[in-house]
Amino acid sequence: MNTFAYIVEAGSISAAADRMDVAKSVISRRLKELEAHLGVQLFHRTTRQMKLTDSGRAFYEQSVRILADILEAEHAVSQFHGALKGNLKVAVPLSFGLMHLGPAITAFLHTHPDIKFDLDFNDRQVDLLAEGFDLAIRIASLPDSSLIARYLAPVQAVMCASPAYLEHMGTPQTPEELIGHRCLAYSLISNSDNWNVYDSTGQLIKTRITPYLKASNGEFLRDAAVDGLGIVLLPAFIVYREIEHGALLPILTEYHYSQLAAYAIYPQTRHLSQRVRAFVDFLSKRFEEMPYWDSCLRHTKKIS
């Protein structure tokens, strides 16, 4: 059953063999024995891919729950002896991960040294099941649902530019005036050429910009704005220190933007293991108590 789950999540027998560090022939034999035992075909096989049959999909969903329950039982015993053990494969956004999750993970490991992290710092949207992630931290606009996600912290967007840029190019007074400005756009979101803002009445104002510079990393865009290259719209957790120090000035502060938040996202078909639950609880508590995150939020409220 465990081998079957590895094949599904790795996408092929070869990849599963690599993950489990066993010979490909061993994986093939176990799959054949499982299908013979069940009396059903679990995969549609071609020369290029393996695709789950309907029976295979149903068996996989049950298998991961059973395997998770077994792990949970093992971890419950470990917890009784005061130790969390096991692997945690986590996908985290690059800037948020480096700036805010890195210190949190270090602190968690001081308390739980037997946990082994496999971290993917990347802003792409990973396929949690296919790539074998236990959870992902994402900055998004999502409903707070305990079935698929756990809310961690609010994330407020801020539009800002350097004093030198604003002195040279002028400060826009309305969203429509952004059309004549150099705008620095984050490229990994859909419709990055549109900066949608809301006025004080909640009315949506769709503003189409012509990006002067596009990049897939918020810290790069922040630094470009500090250097006077243009106006940037970024989460406050990336730019609030530069705003506090005067390197960036917030603009159009009477407007606001779509409310985002940091979430812990779990694969929908998996039971939440004790180590995942402990880590997410730790993050939630840490964001409630972290002084510098509170400072970021207080500063955001002040300038919004």
Side-chain angles (χ1 to χ4, degrees):
M1 189 180 290
N2 192 50
T3 298
F4 169 66
Y6 266 100
I7 296 171
V8 174
E9 294 171 6
S12 70
I13 290 175
S14 297
D18 290 339
R19 288 191 185 182
M20 298 184 72
D21 195 24
V22 298
K24 180 180 175 181
S25 59
V26 173
I27 302 297
S28 297
R29 185 181 71 251
R30 289 177 183 173
L31 178 59
K32 290 179 181 178
E33 290 173 350
L34 179 61
E35 289 182 321
H37 172 72
L38 296 173
V40 297
Q41 185 177 350
L42 298 173
F43 290 99
H44 295 298
R45 299 172 178 82
T46 67
T47 55
R48 294 187 176 182
Q49 64 178 358
M50 298 179 65
K51 184 177 180 181
L52 282 171
T53 62
D54 290 341
S55 296
R57 186 173 297 104
F59 186 68
Y60 172 73
E61 292 175 0
Q62 294 294 329
S63 294
V64 293
R65 292 189 182 99
I66 292 169
L67 291 168
D69 286 341
I70 293 172
L71 285 174
E72 188 74 7
E74 294 175 351
H75 291 174
V77 175
S78 296
Q79 278 288 82
F80 180 76
H81 293 290
L84 275 177
K85 297 180 180 179
N87 300 319
L88 275 178
K89 187 175 182 181
V90 186
V92 297
L94 182 57
S95 296
F96 186 74
L98 293 175
M99 296 177 68
H100 302 291
L101 287 178
I105 290 169
T106 299
F108 184 78
L109 284 173
H110 281 307
T111 305
H112 304 288
D114 292 328
I115 293 291
K116 296 179 176 60
F117 276 94
D118 180 357
L119 302 172
D120 181 1
F121 288 88
N122 201 308
D123 287 339
R124 67 187 177 90
Q125 295 292 310
V126 300
D127 186 327
L128 298 182
L129 281 175
E131 299 180 53
F133 285 97
D134 292 292
L135 73 154
I137 308 300
R138 289 179 179 165
I139 308 297
S141 178
L142 294 173
D144 184 15
S145 169
S146 60
L147 296 176
I148 62 169
R150 171 81 175 271
Y151 173 89
L152 296 178
V155 174
Q156 179 64 51
V158 181
M159 191 179 297
C160 51
S162 71
Y165 175 86
L166 296 175
E167 182 178 356
H168 179 64
M169 299 295 294
T171 302
Q173 301 301 313
T174 66
E176 290 80 5
E177 293 181 22
L178 291 171
I179 296 174
H181 281 268
R182 292 180 175 179
C183 295
L184 316 179
Y186 182 67
S187 61
L188 290 185
I189 59 173
S190 60
N191 297 320
S192 60
D193 293 355
N194 291 280
W195 285 0
N196 294 333
V197 303
Y198 298 85
D199 63 19
S200 59
T201 68
Q203 182 69 34
L204 173 64
I205 303 173
K206 295 184 177 181
T207 304
R208 185 164 183 82
I209 62 169
T210 302
Y212 176 68
L213 172 66
K214 280 188 174 184
S216 61
N217 180 259
E219 290 174 280
F220 175 84
L221 292 172
R222 176 200 63 198
D223 293 345
V226 169
D227 289 339
L229 293 184
I231 297 172
V232 73
L233 177 62
L234 287 172
F237 69 79
I238 295 180
V239 297
Y240 81 100
R241 288 194 179 99
E242 285 70 24
I243 292 174
E244 287 180 334
H245 298 153
L248 292 173
L249 298 178
I251 62 174
L252 298 178
T253 55
E254 64 271 30
Y255 298 88
H256 63 280
Y257 312 95
S258 296
Q259 182 63 50
L260 301 176
Y263 291 89
I265 309 294
Y266 324 114
Q268 294 186 37
T269 58
R270 282 194 180 163
H271 182 71
L272 193 59
S273 70
Q274 182 66 30
R275 61 190 183 281
V276 172
R277 184 182 296 110
F279 180 55
V280 174
D281 287 345
F282 175 85
L283 290 180
S284 179
K285 188 171 186 291
R286 181 178 174 88
F287 278 110
E288 289 178 357
E289 298 176 348
M290 280 196 297
Y292 73 77
W293 191 259
D294 290 342
S295 173
C296 172
L297 294 179
R298 285 197 301 272
H299 194 62
T300 298
K301 291 174 183 177
K302 181 178 70 175
I303 65 177
S304 295

